[in-house]
C-alpha cells in the first residue's frame, strides 16, 4: 500500500514537473520582438478597430507587425511547417497564437464577433479586410460628397471651418487623400457676400491652407 502511494506521488510529481518544464520551454521560445509587440500593441494602436477607422487601424497594425518581423503572419506569406509534430510547427503556432491574441485586443466589441472563431492571424486579418474594406470605401465616398456640398449659410465662420476640418480629418483617418486643395471646398461653400474675399484668396500667389483661414 505504501509503495503504491509512493508510486502515485512520484507519478504526480513527474507529471507536474513535465507540465512546468513544457511551460518554461514554451515561454523561453517566445522571441523578444514578439513579447514587445504583444505587450505594447494597445499603445502602438491606441484606437480599437470600428467600422469607421479600418484603413488607419490596418496601416498602424501592418506597420508594427512589419517593424517587428511578423507581417508574414498577417499576409499569409509565413505558412506553418508541413510537419505538425515538429518543433518548428510548435514554434510557429506559439508565435501565431500570440499574434492572433494581439489582434483580438485591438478590435472593438462590435467587431470581435467577426473574427472570434479565427484560428490564425492570417485568417482574422483576411476576414476583417473582406468585411470592413468595402465599408471604409463607402464611408469615404460619403464624406467626400459631404465635403463637396458643405455650405456656410448662416453659420459663424469658425463653426463652418470646424465642420470642414472634421470632414477632412475623417477622410484622412480612413487612409485616403483629398482630391483638391481644401481652400477650394471652403471658398465654394461661402455665401455671395464673401465674393470679394473669395476673389482675393483665389488670386493670391501664396498657398492657403485650413490653418490660414482660422
Amino acid at each position: 500500500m505504501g509503495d503504491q502511494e509512493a508510486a502515485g506521488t512520484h507519478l504526480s510529481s513527474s507529471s507536474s514537473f513535465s507540465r512546468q518544464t513544457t511551460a518554461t520551454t514554451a515561454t523561453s521560445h517566445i522571441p523578444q520582438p514578439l513579447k514587445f509587440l504583444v505587450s505594447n500593441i494597445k499603445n502602438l494602436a491606441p484606437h480599437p478597430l470600428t467600422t469607421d477607422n479600418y484603413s488607419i487601424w490596418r496601416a498602424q497594425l501592418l506597420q508594427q507587425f512589419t517593424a517587428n518581423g511578423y507581417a508574414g503572419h498577417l499576409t499569409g506569406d509565413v505558412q506553418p511547417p508541413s510537419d505538425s509534430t515538429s518543433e518548428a510547427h510548435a514554434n510557429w503556432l506559439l508565435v501565431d497564437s500570440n499574434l492572433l491574441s494581439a489582434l483580438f485586443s485591438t478590435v472593438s466589441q462590435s467587431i470581435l464577433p467577426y473574427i472570434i472563431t479565427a484560428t490564425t492571424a492570417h485568417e482574422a486579418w483576411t476576414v476583417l479586410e473582406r468585411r470592413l474594406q468595402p465599408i471604409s470605401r463607402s464611408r469615404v465616398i460619403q464624406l467626400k460628397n459631404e465635403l463637396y456640398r458643405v455650405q456656410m449659410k448662416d453659420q459663424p465662420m469658425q463653426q463652418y471651418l470646424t465642420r470642414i476640418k472634421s470632414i477632412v480629418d475623417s477622410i484622412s483617418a480612413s487612409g485616403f487623400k483629398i482630391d483638391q486643395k481644401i481652400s477650394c471646398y471652403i471658398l465654394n461653400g461661402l455665401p455671395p457676400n464673401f465674393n470679394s474675399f473669395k476673389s482675393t484668396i483665389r488670386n493670391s500667389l501664396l498657398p492657403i491652407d485650413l490653418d490660414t483661414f482660422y
Side-chain angles (χ1 to χ4, degrees):
M1 183 68 176
D3 291 341
Q4 290 178 346
E5 290 179 353
T9 302
H10 176 72
L11 288 173
S12 177
S13 299
S14 298
S15 177
S16 176
F17 176 77
S18 177
R19 287 195 299 271
Q20 292 174 0
T21 302
T22 300
T24 301
T25 302
T27 302
S28 65
H29 284 173
I30 298 179
Q32 190 60 39
L34 179 60
K35 291 180 181 179
F36 171 81
L37 183 62
V38 172
S39 300
N40 294 280
I41 192 65
K42 287 189 175 182
N43 295 324
L44 300 172
H47 303 293
L49 174 63
T50 67
T51 55
D52 294 329
N53 68 345
Y54 170 71
S55 294
I56 193 168
W57 174 89
R58 182 184 186 279
Q60 287 179 323
L61 265 292
L62 187 58
Q63 194 279 329
Q64 295 301 333
F65 275 59
T66 300
N68 288 279
Y70 298 110
H73 281 263
L74 297 181
T75 61
D77 293 333
V78 177
Q79 291 292 315
S82 56
D83 183 2
S84 61
T85 63
S86 66
E87 182 178 355
H89 187 279
N91 288 336
W92 181 93
L93 188 60
L94 177 68
V95 170
D96 199 75
S97 296
N98 276 274
L99 295 177
L100 180 59
S101 295
L103 285 178
F104 284 169
S105 70
T106 65
V107 304
S108 63
Q109 290 298 315
S110 61
I111 300 298
L112 187 58
Y114 294 170
I115 58 173
I116 196 64
T117 59
T119 57
T120 67
H122 174 57
E123 181 184 357
W125 188 255
T126 303
V127 168
L128 291 174
E129 184 174 53
R130 186 174 65 249
R131 295 290 295 267
L132 298 181
Q133 196 169 63
I135 296 175
S136 179
R137 288 174 178 167
S138 297
R139 173 64 174 160
V140 169
I141 292 173
Q142 177 186 346
L143 287 169
K144 285 186 175 182
N145 288 335
E146 187 176 347
L147 182 61
Y148 182 78
R149 296 193 304 266
V150 66
Q151 297 289 314
M152 181 179 176
K153 296 183 179 179
D154 57 352
Q155 299 178 79
M157 177 63 78
Q158 186 77 16
Q159 184 177 343
Y160 171 62
L161 293 176
T162 300
R163 176 57 186 153
I164 290 180
K165 186 178 187 305
S166 175
I167 298 173
V168 170
D169 288 346
S170 295
I171 293 174
S172 298
S174 298
F176 291 82
K177 295 181 179 180
I178 306 299
D179 298 331
Q180 56 181 303
K181 293 181 179 179
I182 298 174
S183 59
C184 294
Y185 294 105
I186 295 174
L187 296 177
N188 289 340
L190 294 176
N193 57 307
F194 279 86
N195 283 345
S196 177
F197 171 76
K198 290 160 68 173
S199 297
T200 301
I201 295 297
R202 284 176 173 146
N203 293 328
S204 174
L205 298 178
L206 298 175
I208 305 295
D209 57 18
L210 188 56
D211 291 333
T212 303
F213 281 96
Y214 272 105

Coordinates of all heavy atoms in Angstrom, one line a residue, residues 61-108:
L61 N -1.4 48.6 -37.6 CA -1.1 47.3 -37.3 C 0.0 46.7 -38.2 O 0.9 46.0 -37.8 CB -2.3 46.4 -37.3 CG -3.1 46.2 -36.0 CD1 -2.3 45.3 -35.0 CD2 -3.4 47.5 -35.3
L62 N -0.2 46.9 -39.5 CA 0.7 46.4 -40.5 C 2.1 46.9 -40.3 O 3.1 46.2 -40.4 CB 0.2 46.6 -41.9 CG 1.0 46.0 -43.1 CD1 1.0 44.5 -42.9 CD2 0.4 46.3 -44.4
Q63 N 2.2 48.2 -40.0 CA 3.5 48.8 -39.8 C 4.2 48.2 -38.6 O 5.4 47.9 -38.6 CB 3.3 50.4 -39.6 CG 4.6 51.2 -39.7 CD 5.4 51.2 -38.4 OE1 4.8 51.1 -37.3 NE2 6.7 51.2 -38.5
Q64 N 3.4 48.0 -37.5 CA 4.0 47.5 -36.3 C 4.4 46.0 -36.4 O 5.5 45.6 -35.9 CB 3.1 47.7 -35.1 CG 2.8 49.1 -34.7 CD 4.0 49.8 -34.3 OE1 5.0 49.2 -33.8 NE2 4.0 51.2 -34.5
F65 N 3.6 45.3 -37.1 CA 3.9 43.8 -37.3 C 5.1 43.7 -38.2 O 6.0 42.9 -38.1 CB 2.7 43.1 -38.0 CG 1.7 42.6 -37.0 CD1 1.1 43.5 -36.1 CD2 1.4 41.3 -36.9 CE1 0.2 43.0 -35.2 CE2 0.5 40.8 -36.0 CZ -0.1 41.6 -35.1
T66 N 5.2 44.6 -39.2 CA 6.4 44.6 -40.1 C 7.6 45.0 -39.4 O 8.7 44.4 -39.6 CB 6.1 45.6 -41.3 OG1 5.0 45.2 -42.0 CG2 7.3 45.6 -42.2
A67 N 7.6 46.0 -38.6 CA 8.7 46.5 -37.8 C 9.3 45.4 -36.9 O 10.5 45.4 -36.6 CB 8.4 47.8 -37.0
N68 N 8.4 44.5 -36.4 CA 8.9 43.5 -35.5 C 9.1 42.1 -36.2 O 9.4 41.1 -35.5 CB 7.9 43.4 -34.3 CG 8.0 44.5 -33.4 OD1 8.9 44.6 -32.5 ND2 7.1 45.5 -33.5
G69 N 8.9 42.1 -37.5 CA 9.2 40.9 -38.3 C 8.1 39.9 -38.4 O 8.3 38.7 -38.7
Y70 N 6.8 40.3 -38.2 CA 5.7 39.4 -38.2 C 4.6 39.7 -39.2 O 3.5 39.1 -39.2 CB 5.1 39.3 -36.8 CG 6.0 38.8 -35.8 CD1 6.5 39.7 -34.8 CD2 6.5 37.5 -35.8 CE1 7.4 39.2 -33.8 CE2 7.4 37.0 -34.9 CZ 7.9 37.9 -33.9 OH 8.8 37.5 -33.0
A71 N 4.9 40.5 -40.2 CA 3.9 40.9 -41.2 C 3.5 39.6 -42.0 O 2.3 39.5 -42.4 CB 4.4 41.9 -42.2
G72 N 4.4 38.7 -42.2 CA 4.1 37.5 -43.0 C 3.0 36.7 -42.3 O 2.2 35.9 -43.1
H73 N 2.8 36.7 -41.0 CA 1.7 36.0 -40.4 C 0.4 36.6 -40.7 O -0.7 35.9 -40.7 CB 1.9 36.0 -38.9 CG 2.9 35.0 -38.4 ND1 2.6 33.8 -37.9 CD2 4.3 35.1 -38.4 CE1 3.7 33.1 -37.6 NE2 4.7 33.9 -37.9
L74 N 0.3 37.9 -41.0 CA -0.9 38.6 -41.4 C -1.2 38.3 -42.8 O -2.4 38.0 -43.2 CB -0.8 40.1 -41.1 CG -0.6 40.6 -39.7 CD1 -0.5 42.1 -39.7 CD2 -1.7 40.1 -38.8
T75 N -0.2 38.5 -43.7 CA -0.4 38.4 -45.1 C -0.5 36.9 -45.6 O -1.0 36.7 -46.7 CB 0.7 39.1 -45.9 OG1 1.9 38.4 -45.6 CG2 0.8 40.5 -45.5
G76 N -0.1 36.0 -44.8 CA -0.1 34.6 -45.2 C 1.1 34.1 -45.9 O 1.3 33.0 -46.3
D77 N 2.1 35.0 -45.9 CA 3.4 34.7 -46.6 C 4.2 33.7 -45.7 O 5.0 32.9 -46.2 CB 4.3 35.9 -46.8 CG 3.6 36.8 -47.9 OD1 2.9 36.3 -48.8 OD2 3.9 38.0 -47.9
V78 N 4.0 33.7 -44.4 CA 4.7 32.8 -43.5 C 3.7 31.7 -43.1 O 2.8 31.9 -42.3 CB 5.2 33.5 -42.2 CG1 5.8 32.5 -41.3 CG2 6.2 34.6 -42.6
Q79 N 3.8 30.6 -43.7 CA 2.9 29.4 -43.5 C 3.5 28.5 -42.5 O 4.7 28.4 -42.3 CB 2.7 28.7 -44.8 CG 1.9 29.5 -45.9 CD 0.5 29.6 -45.4 OE1 -0.2 28.7 -44.9 NE2 -0.1 30.9 -45.6
P80 N 2.7 27.7 -41.8 CA 3.2 26.8 -40.8 C 3.9 25.6 -41.5 O 3.6 25.2 -42.6 CB 1.9 26.2 -40.1 CG 0.8 26.4 -41.1 CD 1.2 27.7 -41.9
P81 N 5.0 25.1 -40.9 CA 5.7 23.9 -41.4 C 4.7 22.8 -41.6 O 3.7 22.6 -40.9 CB 6.7 23.6 -40.3 CG 6.9 24.9 -39.6 CD 5.6 25.6 -39.6
S82 N 4.9 22.0 -42.7 CA 4.0 20.9 -43.0 C 3.9 19.8 -42.0 O 2.9 19.2 -41.8 CB 4.4 20.3 -44.4 OG 5.8 19.9 -44.3
D83 N 5.0 19.6 -41.3 CA 5.0 18.5 -40.2 C 4.5 19.1 -38.9 O 5.1 19.8 -38.2 CB 6.5 18.0 -40.0 CG 6.5 16.9 -39.0 OD1 5.4 16.5 -38.5 OD2 7.6 16.4 -38.7
S84 N 3.2 18.7 -38.6 CA 2.5 19.3 -37.5 C 3.1 18.8 -36.2 O 2.7 19.3 -35.1 CB 1.0 19.0 -37.5 OG 0.8 17.6 -37.6
T85 N 4.0 17.8 -36.2 CA 4.5 17.2 -35.0 C 5.9 17.8 -34.7 O 6.5 17.4 -33.7 CB 4.6 15.7 -35.1 OG1 5.5 15.3 -36.2 CG2 3.2 15.1 -35.3
S86 N 6.4 18.6 -35.6 CA 7.8 19.1 -35.5 C 7.9 20.3 -34.5 O 6.9 21.0 -34.2 CB 8.3 19.6 -36.8 OG 7.6 20.7 -37.3
E87 N 9.1 20.5 -34.0 CA 9.3 21.6 -33.1 C 9.1 23.0 -33.8 O 8.6 23.9 -33.2 CB 10.7 21.6 -32.5 CG 11.0 22.7 -31.5 CD 12.4 22.6 -30.9 OE1 13.1 21.6 -31.2 OE2 12.7 23.5 -30.1
A88 N 9.4 23.0 -35.1 CA 9.3 24.2 -35.9 C 7.8 24.6 -36.0 O 7.4 25.8 -35.9 CB 9.9 24.0 -37.3
H89 N 6.9 23.6 -36.1 CA 5.5 23.8 -36.2 C 5.0 24.4 -34.9 O 4.2 25.3 -34.8 CB 4.7 22.6 -36.6 CG 3.3 22.8 -36.9 ND1 2.4 22.9 -35.8 CD2 2.6 22.9 -38.0 CE1 1.2 23.1 -36.3 NE2 1.3 23.1 -37.7
A90 N 5.5 23.8 -33.8 CA 5.1 24.2 -32.5 C 5.5 25.7 -32.2 O 4.7 26.5 -31.7 CB 5.7 23.3 -31.4
N91 N 6.7 26.0 -32.7 CA 7.1 27.4 -32.5 C 6.3 28.4 -33.4 O 6.0 29.5 -32.9 CB 8.6 27.5 -32.9 CG 9.5 26.9 -31.9 OD1 9.2 26.7 -30.7 ND2 10.7 26.4 -32.3
W92 N 6.0 27.9 -34.6 CA 5.1 28.8 -35.5 C 3.8 29.0 -34.8 O 3.3 30.1 -34.8 CB 5.0 28.1 -36.8 CG 4.1 28.9 -37.8 CD1 4.6 29.8 -38.7 CD2 2.7 28.9 -37.9 NE1 3.5 30.3 -39.4 CE2 2.4 29.8 -38.9 CE3 1.7 28.2 -37.2 CZ2 1.0 30.1 -39.3 CZ3 0.4 28.5 -37.6 CH2 0.0 29.4 -38.6
L93 N 3.2 27.9 -34.3 CA 1.9 28.0 -33.6 C 1.9 28.9 -32.4 O 1.0 29.7 -32.2 CB 1.4 26.6 -33.2 CG 0.0 26.5 -32.7 CD1 -1.0 27.0 -33.8 CD2 -0.3 25.1 -32.3
L94 N 3.0 28.9 -31.7 CA 3.2 29.7 -30.5 C 3.2 31.2 -30.9 O 2.5 32.0 -30.3 CB 4.5 29.4 -29.8 CG 4.9 30.2 -28.5 CD1 3.9 30.0 -27.4 CD2 6.3 29.9 -28.1
V95 N 4.0 31.5 -31.9 CA 4.0 32.9 -32.4 C 2.7 33.3 -32.9 O 2.2 34.4 -32.6 CB 5.1 33.0 -33.5 CG1 5.0 34.4 -34.2 CG2 6.5 32.8 -32.9
D96 N 2.1 32.5 -33.8 CA 0.8 32.9 -34.4 C -0.3 33.1 -33.4 O -1.1 34.0 -33.6 CB 0.5 31.9 -35.5 CG -0.5 32.5 -36.5 OD1 -0.1 33.3 -37.4 OD2 -1.7 32.2 -36.4
S97 N -0.3 32.2 -32.4 CA -1.4 32.3 -31.4 C -1.3 33.6 -30.6 O -2.3 34.3 -30.3 CB -1.3 31.1 -30.5 OG -1.5 29.9 -31.1
N98 N 0.0 34.0 -30.4 CA 0.2 35.3 -29.7 C -0.2 36.5 -30.5 O -0.8 37.5 -30.1 CB 1.7 35.4 -29.2 CG 1.9 34.7 -27.9 OD1 1.8 35.3 -26.9 ND2 2.4 33.5 -28.0
L99 N 0.1 36.4 -31.8 CA -0.3 37.5 -32.7 C -1.8 37.6 -32.9 O -2.3 38.7 -33.0 CB 0.4 37.2 -34.1 CG 1.9 37.3 -34.2 CD1 2.4 36.9 -35.5 CD2 2.4 38.6 -33.7
L100 N -2.4 36.4 -32.9 CA -3.9 36.4 -33.0 C -4.5 37.1 -31.8 O -5.5 37.8 -31.9 CB -4.4 35.0 -33.2 CG -5.9 34.8 -33.3 CD1 -6.5 35.6 -34.5 CD2 -6.3 33.3 -33.4
S101 N -4.0 36.7 -30.6 CA -4.5 37.3 -29.4 C -4.2 38.9 -29.4 O -5.1 39.6 -28.9 CB -3.7 36.7 -28.2 OG -4.0 35.4 -28.0
A102 N -3.1 39.3 -30.0 CA -2.8 40.7 -30.1 C -3.9 41.4 -31.0 O -4.4 42.5 -30.6 CB -1.4 40.9 -30.6
L103 N -4.2 40.7 -32.1 CA -5.3 41.3 -32.9 C -6.6 41.4 -32.2 O -7.3 42.4 -32.3 CB -5.4 40.4 -34.2 CG -4.4 40.5 -35.3 CD1 -4.7 39.5 -36.4 CD2 -4.3 41.9 -35.8
F104 N -7.0 40.4 -31.5 CA -8.2 40.4 -30.7 C -8.3 41.6 -29.8 O -9.3 42.2 -29.6 CB -8.3 39.1 -29.9 CG -8.7 37.9 -30.6 CD1 -8.7 36.6 -30.0 CD2 -9.2 38.0 -31.9 CE1 -9.0 35.5 -30.7 CE2 -9.5 36.8 -32.7 CZ -9.5 35.6 -32.1
S105 N -7.1 41.9 -29.2 CA -7.1 43.0 -28.2 C -7.2 44.4 -28.8 O -7.4 45.4 -28.1 CB -5.9 42.9 -27.4 OG -4.7 43.3 -28.1
T106 N -7.1 44.5 -30.1 CA -7.1 45.8 -30.8 C -8.5 46.1 -31.5 O -8.6 47.2 -32.2 CB -6.0 46.0 -31.8 OG1 -6.2 45.0 -32.9 CG2 -4.7 45.7 -31.2
V107 N -9.4 45.2 -31.4 CA -10.7 45.5 -32.1 C -11.8 45.8 -31.0 O -11.7 45.3 -29.9 CB -11.1 44.3 -33.0 CG1 -10.0 43.9 -34.0 CG2 -11.4 43.0 -32.1
S108 N -12.8 46.5 -31.5 CA -13.9 46.8 -30.6 C -14.8 45.6 -30.4 O -14.8 44.7 -31.1 CB -14.7 48.0 -31.1 OG -15.3 47.6 -32.4

